[in-house]
Amino acid sequence: MNNHALVTRLREQLGDAAVLTDTDVTDAYSRDMMPLADSGKPLAVVLPSDVEGVQAVVKACAEFEVPIVPRGAGSGLSGAANAIDGCVVLVLTKLDKIVEIDEGNRLAVVQPGVVNLDFRNAVEKHGLFYPPDPSSYDWCTIGGNLSTNAGGLCCVKYGVTTDSVLGLEVVLADGSVLKTGRRTVKGVAGYDLARLFVGSEGTLGVITQATVALKPLPQLPATLVAAFNSTEAAGEAVARVVREGLVPSLMEIMDATSIKAAEAYLKTDLGTSSDCKALLLAQSDSGGEAARRELAALEQICVDCGADLAYATEDLEEGKMLLQARRVVLTALEMYGVWLTDDVCVPRTRIAELIAGCERISEEVGLRIAVVGHAGDGNMHPTIVYAPDSEEEFARARIAFDAILDVALSLGGTVTGEHGIGRIKREWLEKEIGEVGIQVHRQIKRALDPGNLFNPGSMFSL
């Protein structure tokens, strides 16, 4: 097929400004934030501004047999939005309208290019709350969150992105528009197609609109910090919280390496002893007496499990200062080199074993590995630090990355809790779900995308 003719067609239908071919520009759209994932040179980068423009791109690329890689802001950490040679990168950031906020039914209709934080701020003005909060929430887009089924710090109480999705509008491989889901609280008509597309990483269709459920705006959070002289004690505290039915709005864990990095970066100590091996940070957004009871119960569990320090506060600024230590870890690790962050999820009773496994791997490869994560749901982010100019250290970092995935599976976990499979964990997906699971994935892909138009080679190969 004549690729020049395709570019001409796209410019005729969308306008010259929406079709980029200068390699100095298109290179910036060729990959996400994961250094391990390969990327190629796109034929063009296209930025439609409405669903009709998306349909036009899909139909044209299907006719010319040119693959499409859908993309949001590029904040992903799996290579799922990475270009392949000769593809069209379909950027959805110009579909950036909040179509509707329905206060009475606590829902909103939003386009994929809306930035997560902007959306949260908009619904907050109506006394409502959109829970999904990836760490990149100040620049990642709703469409990217949907495509990867993103999570965040508050998943322990509110779930991941799919738990807030009521319905989707999706452009399929033939250019038709599928509307899934509902606006009602309940609805079980037919297959749950919305959940099929959420987390599909752009391999089945292009999401152009979402109807999402909103929550009442929670109360300002009260915060707890607890320090432990062993990861086993911290792990037992997490397990006790789960067993006793407590559901904080946030519960994070930091290992010794991440604690030291945060303290060095912030130029302060966190009030922990020199032999502190793990720090738990928890919040309650229940408000008033309910929050006080919840934090008191959490504090007692931590003390019973051997915490050297357990401190709770209702002061909002003090709580932000305590939580800052968790939020700055990745930035703090840049003092020692560049970082490569993994994303695994293990049963909450086995968090300490994962941290111990990461310590062993760190010794074996001779690189610093810091572990932070969402203790409330077992989603851990071991982060490997290596010298940016050392190919040999990068090779060891890659070995460590895979070794961590192996440990997670051995503990009954999964190779990704929120970042997705993308182009870096394709072989690990098959290891986790097995031959039959991969075959079912392929059958679904062929049924919805028989020409392998969307994001070929991502997640798995046909």
Side-chain angles (χ1 to χ4, degrees):
M1 286 289 185
N2 187 336
N3 288 340
H4 177 73
L6 171 59
V7 172
T8 300
R9 169 87 63 83
L10 293 172
R11 283 179 170 153
E12 288 173 349
Q13 294 182 325
L14 282 81
D16 290 347
V19 183
L20 312 176
T21 56
D22 185 334
T23 55
D24 289 340
V25 177
T26 60
D27 283 351
Y29 291 92
S30 66
R31 63 177 306 111
D32 67 11
M33 302 294 290
M34 169 47 70
L36 290 183
D38 294 333
S39 63
K41 298 287 187 181
L43 168 69
V45 172
V46 182
L47 297 93
S49 57
D50 53 31
V51 64
E52 290 79 15
V54 174
Q55 289 178 279
V57 175
V58 170
K59 289 176 181 178
C61 288
E63 178 182 337
F64 283 81
E65 298 179 349
V66 170
I68 294 170
V69 176
R71 175 190 168 93
S75 64
L77 289 163
S78 70
N82 284 15
I84 60 175
D85 287 337
C87 76
V88 165
V89 175
L90 178 56
V91 182
L92 297 158
T93 51
K94 288 192 174 181
L95 278 78
D96 58 358
K97 296 182 178 61
I98 299 173
V99 178
E100 177 187 2
I101 298 174
D102 182 342
E103 297 177 45
N105 290 300
R106 292 211 300 249
L107 62 83
V109 180
V110 62
Q111 290 185 324
V114 174
V115 172
N116 184 290
L117 180 59
D118 292 343
F119 181 49
R120 290 164 63 92
N121 288 340
V123 300
E124 185 175 328
K125 294 175 183 176
H126 297 265
L128 297 169
F129 172 53
Y130 179 65
D133 65 337
S135 296
S136 57
Y137 75 127
D138 55 344
W139 67 289
C140 68
T141 57
I142 298 295
N145 298 168
L146 292 163
S147 291
T148 58
N149 199 10
L153 272 65
C154 69
C155 291
V156 56
K157 184 171 183 178
Y158 296 106
V160 294
T161 296
T162 191
D163 296 305
S164 294
V165 175
L166 296 173
L168 298 175
E169 176 186 271
V170 185
V171 175
L172 300 178
D174 63 357
S176 61
V177 176
L178 169 70
K179 295 188 177 181
T180 75
R182 64 196 192 280
R183 292 173 65 98
T184 55
V185 175
K186 294 171 65 178
V188 294
Y191 296 138
D192 192 346
L193 297 179
R195 285 179 180 262
L196 175 62
F197 285 96
V198 175
S200 64
E201 301 181 16
T203 61
L204 299 179
V206 182
I207 297 171
T208 52
Q209 189 167 277
T211 302
V212 296
L214 304 174
K215 302 285 187 184
L217 191 65
Q219 300 294 312
L220 295 176
T223 306
L224 168 78
V225 59
F228 299 84
N229 61 15
S230 76
T231 54
E232 291 78 14
E236 175 57 26
V238 172
R240 280 272 305 276
V241 169
V242 175
R243 285 199 301 269
E244 296 190 17
L246 297 173
V247 186
S249 57
L250 173 154
M251 186 161 63
E252 298 289 296
I253 191 168
M254 300 169 60
D255 74 344
T257 301
S258 57
I259 293 168
K260 290 181 174 62
E263 288 180 329
Y265 178 78
L266 295 171
K267 295 181 172 59
T268 186
D269 67 70
L270 300 176
T272 62
S273 62
S274 59
D275 61 347
C276 177
K277 295 297 188 294
L279 200 67
L280 278 184
L281 291 156
Q283 287 189 330
S284 170
D285 61 6
S286 299
E289 185 57 34
R292 285 189 283 274
R293 286 196 304 269
E294 194 166 42
L295 284 192
L298 290 167
E299 184 176 1
Q300 188 61 56
I301 287 172
C302 291
V303 171
D304 291 346
C305 290
D308 294 326
L309 164 75
Y311 172 72
T313 179
E314 294 181 60
D315 184 272
L316 185 61
E317 291 305 313
E318 191 175 17
K320 286 181 179 178
M321 289 174 58
L322 292 171
L323 199 59
Q324 185 184 20
R326 164 64 180 91
R327 295 192 183 278
V328 303
V329 169
L330 291 181
T331 303
L333 290 172
E334 291 174 358
M335 296 186 299
Y336 310 110
V338 295
W339 50 259
L340 172 62
T341 190
D342 216 325
D343 162 47
V344 296
C345 195
V346 296
R348 289 168 290 190
T349 53
R350 310 200 74 174
I351 290 173
E353 292 173 77
L354 177 71
I355 294 175
C358 291
E359 291 174 351
R360 173 182 55 77
I361 293 167
S362 176
E363 293 175 1
E364 290 173 353
V365 301
L367 295 174
R368 187 190 308 265
I369 298 178
V371 183
V372 295
H374 316 314
D377 56 29
N379 189 187
M380 297 290 105
H381 297 302
T383 301
I384 308 147
V385 183
Y386 60 96
D389 54 354
S390 172
E391 292 185 7
E392 189 270 337
E393 284 201 13
F394 179 75
R396 281 189 275 147
R398 178 66 208 240
I399 291 170
F401 186 89
D402 286 341
I404 291 166
L405 298 178
D406 196 38
V407 169
L409 286 182
S410 74
L411 296 174
T414 175
V415 296
T416 177
E418 59 187 6
H419 294 168
I421 295 295
R423 299 185 179 275
I424 57 166
K425 295 182 180 179
R426 287 175 292 194
E427 68 274 22
W428 290 97
L429 176 64
E430 186 163 3
K431 288 180 182 179
E432 179 172 332
I433 69 175
E435 184 177 344
V436 174
I438 283 290
Q439 186 57 35
V440 171
H441 276 65
R442 288 175 176 148
Q443 289 170 341
I444 293 170
K445 170 75 167 171
R446 291 190 186 105
L448 290 172
D449 183 16
N452 201 17
L453 178 69
F454 294 126
N455 216 358
S458 190
M459 291 184 73
F460 56 91
S461 59
L462 284 179

